[in-house]
Amino acid sequence: GVDNMKQILSEQTARGAAVLFSSHQLDLVEDVCDDIAIIHDGAIARSGDLSEIRASSGLRNVQVLGLDSSDWVATAPGVVSHQYNPVSGAHELIVSDSVSAEDFLRHASASGAVTSFSYTPPSLENIYRETVR
């Protein structure tokens, strides 16, 4: 059903229709929408082009693979939150954008062999949390 809805919405916007889509499923909103508005306490708290909002956020998503221990995270710069996924072996972090990707990778690499590293703008879910906290 979700795939059909995405297709219908895409077809409608391609023909020039304006579509208002409201959802708490932020991953779906991220897939479907170009412009967003985050409403908090009955008022628009943030709005605009999704890619511009993601780029201007003060946060970044970081994923590090290859390090078994989480000891290095305690001294890592700018860490807001950290989760370790034992199934994938991924350290999933939210960090301040004041820390460059190069500096963060250098810090992680000092603890062992990093096999994969990504440093990306935050998800809409993280932006929502940042906006309404």
Side-chain angles (χ1 to χ4, degrees):
V2 171
D3 290 338
N4 288 342
M5 182 193 65
K6 283 184 192 179
Q7 180 181 351
I8 291 168
L9 291 175
S10 294
E11 289 170 359
Q12 294 303 312
T13 57
R15 70 173 189 77
V19 176
L20 177 63
F21 179 72
S22 176
S23 177
H24 288 90
Q25 292 179 297
L26 300 180
D27 56 332
L28 181 58
V29 171
E30 218 165 4
D31 287 346
V32 173
C33 300
D34 296 323
D35 292 311
I36 63 151
I38 296 173
I39 300 172
H40 181 60
D41 288 336
I44 295 176
R46 199 167 196 177
S47 66
D49 179 86
L50 178 58
S51 60
E52 290 173 7
I53 289 173
R54 288 182 75 211
S56 69
S57 171
L59 302 174
R60 294 295 176 260
N61 284 349
V62 174
Q63 186 179 70
V64 178
L65 291 166
L67 301 176
D68 295 332
S69 169
S70 294
D71 294 344
W72 63 276
V73 176
T75 59
V79 174
V80 175
S81 71
H82 168 254
Q83 292 182 2
Y84 178 71
N85 183 331
V87 174
S88 66
H91 293 273
E92 298 167 353
L93 306 102
I94 299 173
V95 302
S96 167
D97 72 340
S98 64
V99 180
S100 72
E102 294 81 9
D103 288 343
F104 201 88
L105 177 57
R106 189 176 306 113
H107 180 83
S109 296
S111 295
V114 173
T115 58
S116 177
F117 177 81
S118 68
Y119 180 95
T120 60
S123 65
L124 182 54
E125 179 179 340
N126 291 338
I127 290 169
Y128 174 81
R129 288 181 179 155
E130 177 187 22
T131 302
V132 303
R133 69 174 149 183

